[in-house]
Amino acid sequence: MEMKEGGLQRPPKEKLEQMHSFLELIMQYKCALMEVETKLNVLNTEFMLKHSRNPFEAIKSRIKSLDSIIEKLERRKLELTVESIEENLFDIAGIRVICSFPDDIYTTAALLKMQDDIRMIEEKDYIKNPKPNGYRSLHLIVEVPIFLSEEKKYMKVEVQFRTIAMDFWASLEHKLKYKKDLGDQEAISAELKACAEGIAMLDLRMQSIRDRIGESKE
């Protein structure tokens, strides 16, 4: 073990190299997030010019924490290496697009998929096929190129599309499901699912009202 001045121990060279490789990978994921976010903002601006309204309300982005990455690798019995992270985990970089109406989700997602440098890896539609607990969202895994000083590299990004109502439900459900001391868990789960179904109906009603307003203007 190498020693610093004052007697403090320095991590082995191999550990330092692994740490540097991990930080470099996280930097690349951050660059990929910026690329996708820029594409979405451009599409939003163009849509506003053509249709006098925005297809989405907000964009939220995040990089999965190191603890979450390690936990997921261990749970799936995968190696704790940078290579394993890049090859096996598709949700390190995530973007959530909050749309106004359900049809805006599919419009925005289609416009993103039409970009000629976007590679579609996976699509899961939890709006048409909700999860058993009522969760609704459209999930895309895409690869987007980032342009580094010495290479062009494709990075995976998970893009989630939700309406405001879907995001509201998912946020509260996420907080409530960690309450472990509840005696009537099944009843609460059933109530949450009923709320999700009610919110889905509300989304469609609001979209119908928007369409009627559009027709009356025409």
Side-chain angles (χ1 to χ4, degrees):
M1 181 80 70
E2 296 182 21
M3 303 291 290
K4 286 184 176 179
E5 291 183 8
L8 296 178
Q9 293 183 333
R10 176 183 296 171
K13 182 180 179 182
E14 180 182 338
K15 290 290 184 182
L16 289 173
E17 289 175 348
Q18 289 178 358
M19 187 182 303
H20 175 77
S21 296
F22 174 76
L23 292 174
E24 186 175 32
L25 182 64
I26 294 302
M27 176 274 293
Q28 292 170 358
Y29 279 119
K30 288 180 179 178
C31 292
L33 281 180
M34 289 189 285
E35 291 284 348
V36 175
E37 193 164 348
T38 297
K39 287 178 177 294
L40 288 166
N41 282 322
V42 169
L43 291 171
N44 194 42
T45 302
E46 182 188 23
F47 194 94
M48 175 64 185
L49 182 63
K50 289 183 176 180
H51 304 284
S52 299
R53 70 179 187 85
N54 300 99
F56 59 83
E57 300 287 330
I59 298 177
K60 304 175 184 178
S61 62
R62 64 105 183 98
I63 296 290
K64 190 180 283 290
S65 69
L66 178 59
D67 287 343
S68 296
I69 292 171
I70 292 173
E71 186 276 331
K72 193 165 188 177
L73 288 173
E74 290 180 339
R75 176 161 38 90
R76 295 171 61 179
K77 295 180 171 51
L78 298 170
E79 292 184 359
L80 299 177
T81 64
V82 167
E83 293 75 19
S84 180
I85 292 171
E86 198 166 2
E87 290 173 10
N88 298 294
L89 303 188
F90 294 175
D91 61 345
I92 302 298
I95 287 184
R96 186 172 299 152
V97 184
I98 311 301
C99 296
S100 304
F101 303 99
D103 63 358
D104 288 334
I105 289 175
Y106 294 103
T107 297
T108 309
L111 291 172
L112 180 64
K113 290 189 287 185
M114 285 170 58
Q115 302 278 304
D116 61 9
D117 57 349
I118 287 281
R119 296 176 180 172
M120 271 297 304
I121 304 300
E122 185 177 274
E123 179 172 351
K124 292 183 179 179
D125 192 338
Y126 297 116
I127 300 173
K128 294 178 180 176
N129 302 288
K131 289 187 176 182
N133 67 344
Y135 174 85
R136 286 167 168 80
S137 184
L138 176 65
H139 290 197
L140 305 181
I141 303 295
V142 302
E143 279 189 335
V144 61
I146 60 171
F147 299 88
L148 304 170
S149 59
E150 297 181 354
E151 65 173 327
K152 169 185 172 182
K153 182 177 181 181
Y154 274 85
M155 303 297 297
K156 293 181 180 67
V157 176
E158 180 185 56
V159 189
Q160 298 179 356
F161 294 88
R162 301 176 183 172
T163 63
I164 301 167
M166 291 173 194
D167 191 57
F168 164 76
W169 181 91
S171 177
L172 293 184
E173 192 273 344
H174 181 73
K175 294 176 182 178
L176 293 172
K177 74 178 183 180
Y178 289 108
K179 305 290 185 181
K180 302 295 186 182
D181 55 344
L182 299 175
D184 54 346
Q185 186 67 52
E186 287 187 10
I188 290 173
S189 295
E191 189 72 18
L192 283 169
K193 184 175 181 179
C195 287
E197 292 169 353
I199 283 174
M201 292 177 63
L202 178 61
D203 264 337
L204 294 176
R205 288 182 67 184
M206 295 297 286
Q207 183 173 283
S208 176
I209 292 170
R210 181 210 63 190
D211 292 343
R212 285 165 58 190
I213 292 172
E215 289 171 2
S216 65
K217 284 184 178 181
E218 291 176 1

